[in-house]
Amino acid sequence: KSDIEELARALIKWSKKNGGYDPKLLTAMVTFIFRESKGSPLQVNNPKEIVMRILNFFGGDHSQGYGQFKPSTAKKYGIDMNKQYELDGSLDALYKMTNVNYQNAKKFYGGPTITVSENKKYKEIPAIGGDAALHLTIGAHNAGEGIIDQWCETNIPGIANKCSEAK
């Protein structure tokens, strides 16, 4: 309960400070925080996390903090890794990265559904929030943002190929 209250206070403070945000992206950010760190200081400061911080200090590239950013990702987006252990810093970083990835995904994907492979058959399912670009943006948080422009639509509805493939 106290973790949820702390995150709620941080979200209210963040949203007042950052007017004009996209509510869909804010929802995605909360999802990332709870999926990645359970929204808890106990998860963010567990022994494994502390070891990863030490390894990163010596040049490692391990995910850390509430949003679970790697130092290489943080550098790409101009994110201060020292602020990833504060909810405000994680929210700033997550919004920045999520917004960039969402804008990129909108160039390639649209519509209310996505196509998935299930038992070697393609199946169309509703996208998260009815937004295929948002769905891919959320998936890209763990898979890496490179996945966004790696797959392109083909002339066959519902089928995607690697963008480098002619067909």
Side-chain angles (χ1 to χ4, degrees):
K1 183 179 174 185
S2 64
D3 292 340
I4 293 171
E5 289 172 355
E6 184 181 347
L7 179 58
R9 280 193 290 279
L11 282 167
I12 291 167
K13 181 180 170 186
W14 186 91
S15 61
K16 286 180 179 179
K17 184 177 83 176
N18 297 285
Y21 59 87
D22 184 333
K24 289 187 293 191
L25 300 184
L26 192 63
T27 301
M29 292 162 42
V30 173
T31 301
F32 296 150
I33 287 173
F34 276 101
R35 183 179 73 198
E36 302 297 330
S37 66
K38 313 293 184 273
S40 171
L42 294 174
Q43 284 294 104
V44 171
N45 292 305
N46 70 38
K48 181 182 175 192
E49 184 83 10
I50 293 168
V51 169
M52 293 302 128
R53 272 179 100 171
I54 293 167
L55 290 173
N56 286 348
F57 181 78
F58 291 103
D61 197 28
H62 302 281
S63 298
Q64 60 189 73
Y66 281 99
Q68 289 295 290
F69 283 96
K70 289 182 174 184
S72 59
T73 302
K75 185 176 180 181
K76 177 179 179 181
Y77 290 96
I79 295 167
D80 181 353
M81 283 303 292
N82 294 321
K83 293 185 179 181
Q84 295 316 296
Y85 289 89
E86 304 164 10
L87 280 169
D88 285 351
S90 288
L91 289 169
D92 285 340
L94 284 168
Y95 192 84
K96 186 176 190 175
M97 187 187 86
T98 304
N99 189 40
V100 168
N101 287 338
Y102 182 62
Q103 299 310 317
N104 189 29
K106 287 195 314 186
K107 295 176 195 173
F108 300 98
Y109 304 93
T113 62
I114 63 163
T115 303
V116 297
S117 176
E118 192 175 278
N119 298 324
K120 299 185 180 183
K121 292 182 182 181
Y122 291 107
K123 175 181 174 182
E124 207 164 296
I125 63 169
I128 296 169
D131 185 341
L134 180 63
H135 193 109
L136 191 62
T137 300
I138 291 169
H141 186 76
N142 273 37
E145 69 268 16
I147 197 171
I148 291 172
D149 56 4
Q150 183 177 4
W151 298 92
C152 294
E153 294 293 329
T154 66
N155 57 354
I156 305 167
I159 305 295
N161 282 334
K162 289 205 174 217
C163 296
S164 59
E165 293 181 20
K167 54 183 175 171

